[in-house]
Amino acid sequence: MTHPILLLGILLVAYFSHSHAKNVFLQYWEEHIVLPHPPHWLAAKASPLSLYQTALFTKLMEKNELTFHLHSFCKQANISCSANALVKKTPDDTTLPPIAQWNDAKLKYDGLPNESPLSIARQGGLLFFRESMVKEGGFLLVPDLRDPMSYNSFLPRPLASKIPFSVAQVKELKKLFGVVDDSNMNEYIQDTLKICEKRPIQGEQCTCATSAEDLIDFVFEKLGHHVSIWSTENFEGSYENVTIGAVKLIYGNFSKPPALCHSQPFPFQVYYCHVLQKIKVFAVHIYAQKKVNHAIMVCHYDTSTWNPNHSAFKLLGFGPGLIEVCHWINENEMVWTKNTLG
């Protein structure tokens, strides 16, 4: 077991490490992305661990001793360990129902179970809809836009790469983070790993980014340096029949498809990022009860390779390739588009 003095070193440097860790993230951003700075909420997800802490926790993991210091590790890294981590850090709006469990349906285009669309709709909001349903002055029932793990930070790449990250290693992963079977976190882990290991549909390029560097690398590889980033402002309007305000097409270049990155619930920040053909991106003002939300809507115009049992077709009444399918970009998710100047 690690000597207590070594553990004390973690605590002593924690106070001074945060700004340095942020600077590492910003430097990597500036080297790859030609934008002045990342969105504030994405910058806030940079790992707070210093190089020293990263090396120390990596060493503890390699020695199978990290579980003895799990509380310190999770606190310093700002990640979620054990089911208890979810209790005190849920979104502040207590008027909303529990976080929806069906949002990962947006990422599954093949091999979906035969799920009733009415059972989805009854949980609140239309997860999928037609472009024609979003018109200024109209109304639309919005689903849950929240990120269930919005407070999580990334892990540094050297540490994230050591984490067991596969369905085959799920027992080892759960033991590492102190996750019990009967917990929301267990369900989140299982679902995220399945998403990350699913077979891409024809024309889809995808990855699961387990670090900020992985995320930036994927965007740079697919789109280059010159990009724009779009995200929904907040989760206002969730479970509401909102009034649609201005609708603006912000990207519709089919020859240079955008990259979509969806936040996945996991002990630390993970993004499922993918590039699909024939996508348009819209900025939509939705008038919720409390305030206006500036939301991002994505419409897929090639659904020919989607499973006929996909929930979108059950909800909308058509089959693969016959209609476009639209959905919202949730809190902390993002769309990256190729900048024409690049």
Side-chain angles (χ1 to χ4, degrees):
M1 187 178 298
T2 304
H3 196 280
I5 293 179
L6 188 60
L7 182 59
L8 179 62
I10 302 173
L11 303 177
L12 291 175
V13 299
Y15 180 81
F16 303 99
S17 66
H18 188 70
S19 62
H20 172 74
K22 296 289 184 184
N23 289 337
V24 170
F25 169 70
L26 292 176
Q27 180 180 348
Y28 200 83
W29 174 277
E30 292 170 358
E31 290 173 353
H32 294 80
I33 304 297
V34 183
L35 283 174
H37 49 75
H40 66 89
W41 56 266
L42 182 58
K45 288 183 171 295
S47 174
L49 296 179
S50 68
L51 295 176
Y52 170 78
Q53 289 171 304
T54 300
L56 180 57
F57 285 129
T58 301
K59 185 176 181 180
L60 290 172
M61 186 178 299
E62 291 172 346
K63 292 183 175 182
N64 294 320
E65 296 180 357
L66 186 62
T67 52
F68 299 121
H69 307 289
L70 192 60
H71 177 76
S72 176
F73 170 57
C74 295
K75 183 177 180 180
Q76 299 303 324
N78 189 41
I79 63 173
S80 303
C81 301
S82 81
N84 295 331
L86 298 180
V87 176
K88 62 181 180 179
K89 291 185 176 181
T90 51
D92 295 334
D93 193 336
T94 56
T95 63
L96 292 176
I99 298 229
Q101 299 295 308
W102 71 85
N103 277 328
D104 63 351
K106 291 186 299 184
L107 312 182
K108 299 175 181 176
Y109 307 101
D110 189 20
L112 279 179
N114 292 320
E115 185 176 17
S116 167
L118 294 180
S119 69
I120 296 177
R122 277 197 293 267
Q123 296 182 68
L126 288 175
L127 185 57
F128 302 103
F129 44 90
R130 301 289 303 274
E131 181 188 344
S132 60
M133 298 168 67
V134 185
K135 298 296 184 183
E136 186 169 3
F139 300 91
L140 193 69
L141 191 58
V142 174
D144 197 345
L145 299 177
R146 291 173 294 175
D147 177 359
M149 311 287 285
S150 61
Y151 46 82
N152 265 359
S153 294
F154 284 108
L155 285 178
R157 176 184 273 172
L159 188 54
S161 64
K162 300 288 185 181
I163 302 290
F165 194 82
S166 68
V167 173
Q169 297 173 295
V170 68
K171 289 185 178 180
E172 183 182 349
L173 175 66
K174 287 165 57 179
K175 181 180 179 181
L176 178 65
F177 288 105
V179 176
V180 297
D181 290 342
D182 188 19
S183 66
N184 286 339
M185 183 63 83
N186 175 55
E187 186 175 352
Y188 289 154
I189 287 175
Q190 301 278 0
D191 288 346
T192 293
L193 292 178
K194 289 176 184 176
I195 286 290
C196 291
E197 294 187 6
K198 75 177 183 67
R199 182 181 62 184
I201 62 172
Q202 183 179 348
E204 181 185 20
Q205 304 170 68
C206 56
T207 190
C208 269
T210 59
S211 68
E213 295 93 333
D214 286 351
L215 173 66
I216 293 172
D217 283 352
F218 180 80
V219 172
F220 173 68
E221 177 187 343
K222 303 305 177 185
L223 302 177
H225 289 289
H226 299 274
V227 295
S228 297
I229 182 171
W230 312 91
S231 58
T232 294
E233 193 171 89
N234 52 63
F235 57 79
E236 293 294 338
S238 296
Y239 296 108
E240 294 182 26
N241 192 27
V242 303
T243 301
I244 302 298
V247 181
K248 180 182 179 181
L249 174 67
I250 56 178
Y251 193 81
N253 187 344
F254 284 172
S255 66
K256 298 178 181 178
L260 282 58
C261 291
H262 305 274
S263 182
Q264 295 299 114
F266 208 68
F268 54 93
Q269 182 62 59
V270 172
Y271 276 98
Y272 177 82
C273 294
H274 59 157
V275 174
L276 286 164
Q277 304 299 314
K278 295 188 178 180
I279 286 179
K280 290 183 180 180
V281 185
F282 298 82
V284 183
H285 289 184
I286 57 176
Y287 290 85
Q289 292 179 6
K290 293 184 178 180
K291 60 181 178 180
V292 179
N293 190 359
H294 304 283
I296 298 300
M297 176 180 85
V298 167
C299 293
H300 300 260
Y301 288 82
D302 182 4
T303 60
S304 60
T305 59
W306 294 20
N307 190 290
N309 289 321
H310 193 285
S311 298
F313 303 134
K314 293 188 174 185
L315 284 167
L316 301 173
F318 292 85
L322 299 178
I323 58 169
E324 86 292 342
V325 173
C326 303
H327 62 78
W328 301 108
I329 293 297
N330 283 16
E331 174 192 24
N332 293 334
E333 298 184 342
M334 62 197 105
V335 178
W336 302 79
T337 58
K338 180 75 173 178
N339 194 317
T340 54
L341 297 178

